[in-house]
Each structure stands twice: as C-alpha cells, then as structure tokens.
Amino acid sequence: MSVKENFERAKAQYEKWGVSVEDAFAKLKKVPISIHCWQGDDIGGFEVDQQELSGGIDVTGDYPGKATTPEELRSDLEKALSLIPGKHKINLHAIYAETNGQVVDRNELEPKHFENWVKWAKENDLGLDFNPTLFSHPKAADGLTLAHPDKEIRDFWIQHCIQSRKIGEYFARELGQPALNNIWIPDGYKDIPSDRLTPRKRLKDSLDEIFAADVDESLNIDAVESKLFGIGSEAYVVGSHEFYMSYAMKNNKLCLLDSGHYHPTEVISNKISSLLLFSDKLALHVSRPVRWDSDHVVILDDELREIGLEIVRNDALDKVMIGLDFFDASINRVAAWTIGTRNMIKSLLYALLLPNEHLKQLQEEGNFTDRLALMEEFKTYPFGAIWDHYCEQMGVPAQENWLQEVKEYEENVLSKRNS
C-alpha cells in the first residue's frame, strides 16, 4: 500500500474524532525549530585561538567526519535541512564567528564577523538565533563570568553580551525575522558556598548593564537560561531557575527552559503552562538528559510528547520559541540533527492530531476513566502514516528513507575529511 493510501485510511480514523489533518499540517508548517549548529562540530567553533571545551560541558565520541571549517558545517546543515520538513532557524554561538584568521576576542565581536552566516541564511531562507559564549575561554577558567568578583573580568563578559545582542539585532534586520539571543553562564561553585547572595547580586547588576544597552528589542529577543548544577558547580549555581525566572518576569525577558537543566525527575513540560500564564512568550532548549544534563539526541519519548502536547493544547505554537540543544559525537552528526529535529516536529504533529478539547472536557467533568483510556489508545493510532504523508508533502523522505541519503553523504563527503 502506498504512502498516500495509508494516509487516507489513517486520516479517516482521526476525522471521526473531529480532528482536521489538513488544519494540523497548516499549523505545523508555520512552526520554525531553532536547530543548534554545534552538533556538527562538537561545540568547537572557529576561533583562531581555540580553547578546550569548558563550563561543565562534555562531548563524547569520535565519529569521523566532524566539520572543521564554516563551509563544512554549513554544508552539513544543508544536508540535514534537506531531510527535515518545514522552514527553520539555525542557532549560533559566538565562537562560530569568522574573523579571516585574525584574533578577535569575544568582547570585540561585531556583526561583520557573521556576514557569511547571514548570506548563507538568506540563500537558504533561514532565520538565525544567537548565544554569547561564556565558556571555553581563559577569562572563564575559574568557572565565573558575569558573577565574577573581579570587575575587569565581569566587564569583559558584559561587553561580550552587549555585542552579542547587537549581532542578534543585525540578524533580525537582515533576515526579516526576530532573533532569540540567549544568555547562559557556567557560574557556580563546586562545594557548599559561604555566601550565595553576593554572586547573585553581581549577576543581577551585570544583566542590568547588558540589557541597558540600546538594542531594538523587537528584533533581538533576550532570554536567560538557568541550570541546576554542572561539572564543577555541583553545590551551587548562581543563575538558578528561581533567579532567572524572577529576573525574566520583572524585566520583561524570556525565561528559557532547558530539558536537561533540572533535577532528573523534574520535567519542563510541567512548567510551560505556568509560565505562559505570566509571560507572553517563553523559550525552550529541548534536549534529552540521561541521569544528568547529558544532552543526548532527542527521541520521541514520553517527555517529548508532553512538551508537544503542552504547547499545542495551550494554543502556544506562536508563543513558545522552540530550540534544540544536544550533541553526540558517537554517531553520524548529520543523522543526529535529522533524528532530533524530526522527532521534535513529530511531537507537535502528534499533539495536533489529538482531540484536545474533548480530552479537556473529560477532565473538567471528572471522567478520568475515559480520559486515560483515550489518551492511551491514541498512542497506537496510525500516526506514522500521517507523518509519512506530511514528509512527502513537504518534499523530504518519509520513514527511514532519509538514512540512505545520510549514508551516501558520509561516503561522498564526510569520509574524505581529515577530522
């Protein structure tokens, strides 16, 4: 039976619940996923004086074919994008600047250092998001940046973040869509601190100075990202969830939730509806933590489905800025992007195909038996047939057919690299 025939049979099953598959497709096509560039080179970047990875971040594996130049990274992204349905954005870190062989420290980065990325984004009809890079640098070697007791070091990182906001503004002006600019810092202590307040006062003051800079906030959208702990900051993190949620609410910034930045039994799907009650928008970095912030490739597990459901059932597809953040060097990196991004989109489609209003009504009526029964039965509805048709409609391979293209790309391109 063809993909089209399977689709028509599956569509009828959803339609009996009043679900319009065409409406689901129309909504899904409008949702951009911000795809992180750093999966392609293991968070290496292109700085002339490249430093060892730090900030409690680790990438494991040594699969051949890692991108080592901007051109290779963009080529790999193009391959992945050709296998992913929809129009999306690429998320950059500051370390992906191109400085023509000149040493340019991060506090001196300018829009001109990202002109090649903008040109490429225009050619491929993509948006760009941005992140200042406050790790893998001599001035972050002791694990403190914006909360550092040394004012000279704080000022360096404050200027870097200001420059990053200007770069985000540049992206938005050039590409005609807002750029999310997200600040995450590694600041914290390995052991129990004797003073938790003072570093947080310094972080607050640093953020106030960063956001006081004259940047068009309709173009550059600021977000702040918390973390529970990291390697080297097990006992205390300055930028905790409570700190950043409070700061974001008070200062009209976006609170960014990362799937791996909470206690292992704590999930971000349970936070989305609460934040949407008090914020017009929020941002996500969707990852897959395995016992800690391991940043495994996103799979279609229970939590990913719940994230999709919370966004869709709360009519928040235009309120939640969805980004990905995982890195795995043990598998083909183009495949990692493809698997993770397709799964994120699958979770949204799965949610769009549920009779959400009916399920809500069952809960309001206290009919928990029907609610549970239907939610479970829909897990084995022919969702795959709908997804396959959507992929074909969007001009990308259905089912596992994309994998052969990745293998051919590996043979013809990746295997010839020296990395």
Side-chain angles (χ1 to χ4, degrees):
M1 192 175 292
S2 69
V3 167
K4 176 67 172 175
E5 289 170 328
N6 283 332
F7 168 73
E8 292 297 339
R9 293 182 64 178
K11 178 183 170 186
Q13 292 195 52
Y14 285 99
E15 285 180 338
K16 73 181 182 182
W17 288 98
V19 174
S20 170
V21 176
E22 284 79 8
D23 285 352
F25 286 176
K27 290 177 180 178
L28 190 59
K29 290 174 185 177
K30 298 177 183 178
V31 182
I33 307 299
S34 188
I35 301 169
H36 55 309
C37 76
W38 50 91
Q39 164 62 61
D41 76 333
D42 309 339
I43 327 178
F46 305 122
E47 289 182 310
V48 175
D49 55 343
Q50 192 172 87
Q51 305 292 314
E52 288 292 320
L53 191 60
S54 71
I57 303 167
D58 193 18
V59 182
T60 57
D62 191 25
Y63 199 91
K66 178 177 73 173
T68 57
T69 68
E71 292 75 21
E72 288 179 351
L73 186 57
R74 287 190 281 266
S75 173
D76 294 352
L77 279 164
E78 285 180 26
K79 179 73 246 176
L81 287 163
S82 74
L83 307 172
I84 297 164
K87 284 294 180 184
H88 303 291
K89 305 177 80 176
I90 299 301
N91 197 8
L92 301 177
H93 250 283
I95 54 174
Y96 292 90
E98 296 173 64
T99 60
N100 295 318
Q102 302 298 311
V103 175
V104 178
D105 215 341
R106 294 183 198 169
N107 64 331
E108 299 173 336
L109 288 174
E110 299 178 51
K112 67 181 181 181
H113 299 123
F114 294 88
E115 287 177 348
N116 289 341
W117 283 105
V118 168
K119 179 176 181 291
W120 174 78
K122 287 180 178 178
E123 291 170 352
N124 290 276
D125 194 20
L126 297 164
L128 292 175
D129 291 324
F130 199 68
N131 307 261
T133 308
L134 291 94
F135 52 85
S136 302
H137 190 280
K139 285 187 168 62
D142 62 359
L144 294 170
T145 59
L146 293 178
H148 204 288
D150 185 330
K151 185 177 186 300
E152 182 179 339
I153 291 178
R154 286 202 311 279
D155 286 346
F156 173 87
W157 290 116
I158 287 168
Q159 188 59 39
H160 172 51
C161 290
I162 290 172
Q163 293 301 108
S164 295
R165 296 181 72 222
K166 293 178 180 178
I167 292 165
E169 181 184 44
Y170 160 69
F171 286 171
R173 287 192 193 282
E174 290 294 317
L175 300 174
Q177 55 180 300
L180 182 70
N181 198 308
N182 177 58
I183 294 177
W184 174 80
I185 63 172
D187 297 39
Y189 294 120
K190 181 179 180 65
D191 217 330
I192 300 169
S194 56
D195 180 4
R196 290 179 172 87
L197 181 61
T198 301
R200 286 177 173 149
K201 284 182 175 178
R202 286 196 290 261
L203 175 55
K204 177 183 178 298
D205 291 344
S206 294
L207 292 172
D208 287 346
E209 190 170 343
I210 291 164
F211 296 134
D214 185 17
V215 172
D216 189 335
E217 295 186 7
S218 69
L219 299 175
N220 178 84
I221 301 176
D222 295 304
V224 288
E225 176 183 2
S226 69
K227 191 169 184 176
L228 176 66
F229 79 95
I231 298 172
S233 60
E234 291 85 355
Y236 169 76
V237 168
V238 182
S240 65
H241 176 63
E242 293 79 8
F243 175 92
Y244 277 131
M245 183 172 69
S246 301
Y247 190 92
M249 296 292 182
K250 184 174 182 179
N251 295 280
N252 196 30
K253 305 300 177 187
L254 268 63
C255 187
L256 186 144
L257 307 176
D258 185 296
S259 302
H261 285 192
Y262 297 90
H263 188 276
T265 61
E266 193 175 3
V267 290
I268 65 170
S269 60
N270 206 30
K271 303 176 185 296
I272 292 171
S273 59
S274 295
L275 285 171
L276 285 174
L277 282 172
F278 302 98
S279 304
D280 293 333
K281 287 182 177 290
L282 65 92
L284 304 180
H285 274 181
V286 180
S287 183
R288 179 166 58 104
V290 177
R291 296 187 175 88
W292 76 292
D293 184 30
S294 59
D295 289 301
H296 278 61
V297 175
V298 169
I299 62 174
L300 191 59
D301 57 9
D302 287 347
E303 170 59 1
L304 188 64
R305 279 199 300 264
E306 285 300 315
I307 290 170
L309 282 164
E310 283 298 298
I311 295 170
V312 169
R313 64 165 60 121
N314 294 311
D315 195 24
L317 286 169
D318 60 345
K319 300 173 185 175
V320 179
M321 304 182 77
I322 305 169
L324 302 176
D325 188 4
F326 53 79
F327 28 90
D328 189 344
S330 70
I331 65 173
N332 182 296
R333 295 169 182 83
V334 174
W337 271 320
T338 307
I339 294 165
T341 312
R342 282 170 69 112
N343 280 334
M344 184 67 243
I345 300 167
K346 284 178 187 175
S347 77
L348 297 173
L349 180 58
Y350 178 85
L352 286 163
L353 293 174
L354 289 188
N356 290 303
E357 292 307 314
H358 179 66
L359 293 170
K360 288 181 183 179
Q361 187 60 36
L362 291 175
Q363 180 171 302
E364 290 297 296
E365 295 170 354
N367 190 345
F368 305 134
T369 302
D370 283 17
R371 181 190 65 178
L372 180 60
L374 290 176
M375 288 171 69
E376 289 303 301
E377 289 302 326
F378 269 97
K379 289 179 180 178
T380 52
Y381 261 54
F383 165 76
I386 305 294
W387 167 254
D388 291 344
H389 182 73
Y390 179 70
C391 286
E392 287 200 347
Q393 189 181 92
M394 298 298 288
V396 302
Q399 300 177 336
E400 69 279 6
N401 296 323
W402 62 268
L403 188 55
Q404 184 57 39
E405 292 198 29
V406 171
K407 290 178 179 179
E408 291 173 2
Y409 185 76
E410 179 172 336
E411 180 180 355
N412 297 328
V413 178
L414 301 180
S415 66
K416 293 178 171 56
R417 295 177 181 169
N418 295 322
S419 60

